[in-house]
Amino acid sequence: DMWERFRKDSAKQLLSVHITANSDADVILEPYYRDLIIENLISNAVKYASENTAIDIVMTKNKGEITYQIKNQGIVIPPADLETIFNPFYRSNPLHHKAIQGNGLGLSIVKKVSDLLGAKITVSSDAGVGTVFTLVFWLFAIEWINGFESCILLYYISFSS
């Protein structure tokens, strides 16, 4: 479903998309937060991909964690920039890709929401391999967050009556 929003842009760049998922690799979280993270990562994968390449989206569940990996083949993030890529308004080498629109907020939002949800986000970027964003949700954190959301809802209801 989410990929449909990017189909037009990916077709312009002649991108192929490979989606691999375990049947039980869905994260049970507030859909708004999950979609906010994943949509930002897919949007960047499409924007920064080279023409006629592939985007790989892999979702797996393994040993108490659910992992999303989004990989493109395109503009490489220099190693020195990997430390600051999640800072607000930061764009790596913006003068080298002026045609790509953005304000540098997407990845900072992804990082803040990931931290809020107890998820870990990492990035690697190598010439010839591509850029890979990896997002790991630990199942115990998901249960705690869902329980915490329930507590907030109950607390709000008790004060609103």
Side-chain angles (χ1 to χ4, degrees):
D1 296 331
M2 193 179 303
W3 179 253
E4 290 299 318
R5 297 178 209 159
F6 302 100
R7 189 170 300 279
K8 184 179 174 183
D9 291 333
S10 65
K12 286 181 199 174
Q13 292 175 255
L14 305 173
L15 299 175
S16 62
V17 178
H18 308 123
I19 300 173
T20 307
N22 292 4
S23 60
D24 59 349
D26 193 18
V27 178
I28 302 169
L29 287 172
E30 172 62 39
Y32 173 79
Y33 295 120
R34 181 197 59 218
D35 292 352
L36 181 66
I37 293 170
I38 302 302
E39 283 183 21
N40 268 295
L41 293 175
I42 292 174
S43 173
N44 278 0
V46 171
K47 285 194 293 189
Y48 292 98
S50 296
E51 284 190 1
N52 204 22
T53 59
I55 293 178
D56 297 307
I57 302 169
V58 179
M59 297 168 277
T60 57
K61 181 177 180 182
N62 191 16
K63 297 181 183 176
E65 62 187 37
I66 295 175
T67 302
Y68 285 73
Q69 282 193 318
I70 299 169
K71 175 184 174 186
N72 77 344
Q73 299 163 346
I75 298 172
V76 174
I77 303 167
D81 291 352
L82 292 174
E83 296 285 323
T84 54
I85 198 78
F86 295 106
N87 291 349
F89 302 107
Y90 186 82
R91 292 188 70 200
S92 179
N93 293 326
L95 297 177
H96 291 120
H97 42 81
K98 293 178 191 176
I100 299 174
Q101 294 184 341
N103 55 23
L105 285 175
L107 290 178
S108 68
I109 291 170
V110 165
K111 177 71 170 135
K112 294 270 187 213
V113 174
S114 297
D115 289 348
L116 173 73
L117 297 175
K120 179 181 179 183
I121 180 121
T122 59
V123 59
S124 63
S125 192
D126 297 302
V129 176
T131 299
V132 181
F133 282 88
T134 303
L135 182 64
V136 179
F137 291 95
W138 289 278
L139 293 179
F140 73 87
I142 294 168
E143 292 172 11
W144 180 82
I145 290 166
N146 285 334
F148 185 66
E149 286 176 350
S150 298
C151 291
I152 290 173
L153 179 60
L154 292 172
Y155 184 73
Y156 177 74
I157 290 169
S158 68
F159 271 87
S160 63
S161 48

